[in-house]
């Protein structure tokens, strides 16, 4: 009985340590749809000037949080920001460059926009406006996009889309295959490593965290990310994307390098957390725009593990 009890305890312990082991595939994975915990409060502004590497600019915490004034740490990296990107239009059109950053790299909590086809950016915004695009779980980012989409003018949207489409995408994510990951917490809608070096099993998750949290909080457009994925994910994702079920082969529409074309968005080198959410949202029907006619058949047979592997592979490619 002692040996049996010990084995039972070990089994229970393993389940507790692997957050995804008992996760139902019928519910959105919390790691992909992070929400701020109850009672969450932002760090108060102490008035100090924040800095990021290789920039002469400086902003207070209040300034980097201003939804109508996008911090521009590296103005030489991009063309001049149009008004709607840099400042928006009060009261409802927040500056695109605040959430998506000055030249469009975004973060795990939203979409990267640089290099996307302009007509695709326009259409997605209209889909938010018309109730055709949402998420499988409530998210502040989606709520903000819907609010902005309903208020932005056709001309503002056209100008912003052309601006982001003109910027060449760049790599800002490192994919690491690993059995263990840093323990994390939700910090203002994204995952960040807890202080210290505590680790936990990755299970079936993607754990994507900023390389430098404070630079990301400061909305530095050069911020980089580390995405931890289960061992073997990239190779398995490559097989699914290129030689798996023909109905689910990403390369058929997105091209052999997954960089898309003038009508189809690039998915190479993008946040794997973001990519996973889109696959999951297409599968659940949360995204039901015109693209869903193509995407729904491609994802309906995919498991959570499949989606993790496809996202890891796409994110590992050169954008």
């Amino acid at each position: 009985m002692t040996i049996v009890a010990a084995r039972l305890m070990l089994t229970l312990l393993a389940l507790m340590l692997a957050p995804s082991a008992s996760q139902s595939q019928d519910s959105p994975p919390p790691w992909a749809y992070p929400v701020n915990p109850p009672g969450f409060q932002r760090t108060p502004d102490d008035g100090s000037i924040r800095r990021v590497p290789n920039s002469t600019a400086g902003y207070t915490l209040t300034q980097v949080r201003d939804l109508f004034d996008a911090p521009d740490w590296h103005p030489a990296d991009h063309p001049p920001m149009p008004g709607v990107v840099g400042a928006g239009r009060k009261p409802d059109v927040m500056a695109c460059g605040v959430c998506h950053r000055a030249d469009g790299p975004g973060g795990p909590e939203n979409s990267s926009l640089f290099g996307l086809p302009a007509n695709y950016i326009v259409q997605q915004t209209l889909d938010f406006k018309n109730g055709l695009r949402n998420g499988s779980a409530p998210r502040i980012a989606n709520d903000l996009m819907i609010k902005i989409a309903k208020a932005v003018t056709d001309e503002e949207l056209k100008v912003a889309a052309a601006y982001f489409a003109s910027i060449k995408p760049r790599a800002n994510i490192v994919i690491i295959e690993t059995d263990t990951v840093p323990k994390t917490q939700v910090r203002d809608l994204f995952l960040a490593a807890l202080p210290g070096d505590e680790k936990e099993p990755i299970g079936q998750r993607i754990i994507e965290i900023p390389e430098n949290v404070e630079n990301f909080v400061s909305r530095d457009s050069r911020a980089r990310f580390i995405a931890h994925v289960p061992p073997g994910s990239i190779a398995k994702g490559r097989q699914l994307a290129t030689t798996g079920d023909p109905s689910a082969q990403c390369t058929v529409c997105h091209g052999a390098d997954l960089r898309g074309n003038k009508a189809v968005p690039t998915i190479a080198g993008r946040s794997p957390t973001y990519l996973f959410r889109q696959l999951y949202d297409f599968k659940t029907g949360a995204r039901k725009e015109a693209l869903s006619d193509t995407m729904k058949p491609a994802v309906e047979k995919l498991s959570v593990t499949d989606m993790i592997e496809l996202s890891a592979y796409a994110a590992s490619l050169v954008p």
Side-chain angles (χ1 to χ4, degrees):
M1 289 296 293
T2 303
I3 294 175
V4 172
R7 286 177 176 170
L8 178 59
M9 287 297 294
L10 287 173
T11 301
L12 291 173
L13 182 60
L15 289 172
M16 292 171 63
L17 288 175
S20 65
S22 59
Q23 176 184 296
S24 169
Q25 294 197 8
D26 295 330
S27 59
W31 56 264
Y33 297 82
V35 295
N36 293 335
F40 172 82
Q41 292 185 341
R42 284 177 154 187
T43 304
D45 185 359
D46 61 6
S48 61
I49 301 298
R50 302 174 74 86
R51 306 286 181 184
V52 303
N54 303 308
S55 174
T56 58
Y59 302 93
T60 65
L61 196 52
T62 297
Q63 287 176 313
V64 301
R65 289 172 176 168
D66 187 343
L67 297 179
F68 296 93
D69 190 5
D72 195 0
W73 294 101
H74 310 284
D77 285 359
H78 57 83
M81 284 189 288
V84 68
V85 175
R89 176 172 50 79
K90 294 182 178 180
D92 294 323
V93 182
M94 288 153 273
C96 310
V98 171
C99 293
H100 297 284
R101 280 43 179 188
D103 59 354
E109 79 281 17
N110 59 38
S111 173
S112 58
L113 297 179
F114 51 16
L116 288 178
N119 60 345
Y120 178 80
I121 296 174
V122 169
Q123 187 58 55
Q124 294 310 299
T125 306
L126 294 177
D127 289 338
F128 275 115
K129 175 182 179 179
N130 296 324
L132 298 176
R133 178 169 176 177
N134 211 315
S136 302
R139 298 185 65 243
I140 292 175
N142 280 358
D143 294 342
L144 287 176
M145 270 305 306
I146 291 169
K147 180 179 181 180
I148 294 168
K150 289 181 177 179
V152 71
T153 67
D154 291 345
E155 183 60 24
E156 288 170 333
L157 178 54
K158 179 181 176 181
V159 168
Y163 168 76
F164 287 119
S166 73
I167 298 170
K168 184 179 179 180
R170 61 180 179 275
N172 64 349
I173 301 165
V174 176
I175 307 293
I176 297 177
E177 294 188 343
T178 179
D179 288 311
T180 60
V181 294
K183 283 194 171 183
T184 56
Q185 63 182 341
V186 178
R187 179 168 173 178
D188 215 355
L189 306 180
F190 66 92
L191 296 181
L194 285 166
D197 299 318
E198 262 196 286
K199 302 267 189 176
E200 64 182 2
I202 189 169
Q204 287 307 113
R205 298 182 293 167
I206 297 171
I207 299 299
E208 185 174 355
I209 58 178
E211 195 172 69
N212 183 299
V213 173
E214 291 310 313
N215 289 352
F216 181 55
V217 168
S218 295
R219 305 189 191 280
D220 180 7
S221 55
R222 292 185 185 176
R224 295 179 58 81
F225 305 90
I226 301 170
H228 304 82
V229 300
S233 293
I234 295 174
K236 292 173 183 176
R238 181 187 301 113
Q239 184 176 12
L240 281 169
T242 59
T243 62
D245 184 339
S247 67
Q249 287 180 24
C250 307
T251 53
V252 173
C253 294
H254 294 277
D257 55 6
L258 300 189
R259 294 184 191 175
N261 53 46
K262 291 183 179 180
V264 179
T266 175
I267 57 175
R270 303 187 76 184
S271 161
T273 307
Y274 173 82
L275 291 175
F276 176 92
R277 273 200 307 273
Q278 305 322 301
L279 292 173
Y280 195 92
D281 289 347
F282 275 119
K283 181 171 182 174
T284 64
R287 287 189 64 166
K288 46 186 178 288
E289 69 266 29
L291 284 176
S292 64
D293 291 341
T294 301
M295 287 297 301
K296 190 69 185 285
V299 300
E300 60 186 2
K301 297 178 183 178
L302 296 179
S303 67
V304 165
T305 298
D306 292 334
M307 290 186 271
I308 288 172
E309 291 166 355
L310 284 169
S311 301
Y313 168 61
S316 74
L317 299 176
V318 176

